[in-house]
């Protein structure tokens, strides 16, 4: 058994659009009503995945969920003419951000030696709360090997759970036992605190984690206020490294000390507010990066292109590379279409540490399969969606057909 980190990226769905649905997500609010480009969005996602394959990393994907969601429309009795936001919710392609698909505890961390996955209930936002049952159906197939994986039900409401976006794992190597860190927000601010402490604690119990190797940390209310609606907007972890903004946590020294108490090898790469302001960090998504261990053991940070366009962020990256720290490369990628809805490179992927041979192979990416995805997307994904198109029966048919062609090409019509 060789346990490696596999990144499962969400394929951007054919209904990708900008509806301004996420209160507290600044990019989502500021792009509300813009035309979207689903084909370009999905191709940007595939290009990002291709980059990771070319780096010699294991790469998988998860599929778009069925949209428009007729059950949501029916259960909320949506009047398409009056209820434009609810209508858009039922059309949302938000499952592309698979960092919110589930929380994953790899086999070395759990009592029964299996990898545990709990789909996130995403109860705070109506367009996201509709995801988890379909997500679970997909996880049940992708991780259907019961000798190696357990897929749970989502944590029940009202405890909000947003999945891996608020979860970090520290370890000496991905296949070694880890320390799992859960970051939650306290309600009461201007924007919703989407991750509840009780949801995090329930996930830790469901996964059979050793309480002595779990750490629960409060997110800085000022970070939520500034637009860090998930912790992965202001920090990311990989192996022994925590790459974080100075203002990510309510009590930063306390947070680092609590992790260090159970994981003494912790290396904190902290970006001070004097170098990159919280606002700049959130605008560029510097921390919504994939911090990857490359086959040669060095670490690379895959950041959005937007980081290069900010003098303070790019200067900081360059000075980091000149130094002697653990992150040796910064690689910008174009995920502009996703970024405009508040989803950077890290939002687009769910990390699962597992032996790739134990995963359903229909979810694993190869060069050949990347070409296949590009062909299907190029042929069936709409080029552009204007907000006024949402609700049109012709577009609904295009979206359904596009998804079905993808399922067909991957031999996954079971999820139809
Ligand atoms: O839940 N945006 C997503 C972005 C999720 C980012 N994920 C992580 N940080 N891991 C959200 O806020 C916007 C949809 C719209 O407005 O049309 C949206 O759902």
């Amino acid at each position: 058994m060789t346990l490696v980190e596999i990144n499962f990226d969400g394929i951007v769905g054919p209904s990708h659009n900008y509806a301004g649905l996420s209160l507290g997500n600044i990019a989502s609010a500021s792009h509300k009503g813009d035309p979207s480009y689903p084909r370009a969005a999905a191709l940007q996602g595939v290009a990002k995945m291709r980059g990771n394959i070319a780096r010699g990393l294991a790469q998988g994907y998860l599929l778009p969920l069925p949209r428009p969601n007729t059950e949501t429309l029916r259960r909320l009795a949506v009047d398409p003419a009056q209820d434009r936001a609810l209508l858009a919710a039922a059309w949302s392609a938000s499952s592309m951000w698979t960092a919110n698909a589930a929380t994953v505890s790899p086999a070395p961390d759990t009592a029964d030696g299996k990898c545990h996955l709990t789909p996130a209930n995403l109860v705070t936002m109506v367009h996201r709360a509709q995801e988890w049952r379909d997500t679970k159906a997909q996880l049940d197939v992708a991780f259907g090997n019961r000798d190696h994986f357990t897929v749970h039900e989502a944590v029940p409401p009202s405890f909000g759970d947003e999945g891996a976006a608020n979860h970090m794992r520290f370890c000496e190597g991905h296949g070694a036992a880890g320390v799992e860190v859960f970051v939650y927000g306290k309600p009461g601010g201007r924007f919703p605190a989407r991750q509840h402490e009780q949801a995090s604690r329930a996930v830790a119990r469901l996964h059979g984690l050793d309480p002595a190797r779990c750490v629960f940390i409060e997110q800085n209310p000022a970070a939520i206020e500034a637009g860090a609606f998930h912790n992965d907007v202001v920090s990311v972890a990989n192996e022994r490294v925590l790459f974080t903004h100075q203002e990510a946590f309510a009590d930063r020294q306390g947070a680092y000390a609590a992790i260090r108490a159970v994981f003494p090898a912790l290396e904190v790469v902290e970006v001070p507010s004097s170098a990159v302001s919280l606002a700049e960090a959130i605008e560029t998504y510097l921390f919504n990066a994939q911090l990857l261990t490359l086959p040669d053991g060095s670490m690379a940070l895959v950041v959005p292109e937007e980081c290069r366009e900010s003098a303070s962020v790019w200067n900081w990256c360059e000075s980091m590379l000149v130094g002697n720290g653990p992150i040796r490369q910064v690689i910008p990628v174009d995920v502009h279409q996703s970024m405009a809805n508040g989803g950077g490179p890290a939002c687009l992927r769910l990390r699962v540490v597992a032996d790739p041979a134990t995963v359903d192979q229909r979810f694993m990416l190869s060069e050949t399969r990347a070409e296949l995805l590009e062909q299907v997307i190029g042929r069936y994904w709409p080029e552009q969606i204007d907000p006024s198109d949402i609700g049109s029966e012709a577009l609904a048919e295009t979206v359904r057909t596009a998804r079905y062609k993808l399922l067909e090409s991957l031999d996954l019509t079971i999820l139809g």
Side-chain angles (χ1 to χ4, degrees), residues 26-46:
I26 292 166
S28 154
S30 60
H31 290 277
K32 178 179 180 176
D34 286 359
S36 63
Y37 299 91
R39 191 183 303 162
L43 292 174
Q44 286 168 1
V46 177

Side-chain angles (χ1 to χ4, degrees), residues 17-25 27-29 32 88 92-94 97-100 122 125 127-128 131 162 164-166 194 229-233 285 288 338 340-344 346-349:
N17 71 93
Y18 300 118
L21 297 173
S22 277
L23 178 66
N25 171 340
S28 154
K32 178 179 180 176
S92 179
S94 54
W97 299 296
T98 51
N100 308 117
L122 296 165
M125 304 282 162
H127 68 292
R128 304 226 57 187
E131 289 175 29
E162 302 271 325
N166 300 292
R194 290 163 68 164
F229 55 95
H230 291 136
N231 178 61
D232 69 1
V233 174
Y285 265 40
N288 198 265
S338 168
N341 248 340
C347 299
L348 284 162
R349 61 92 175 95

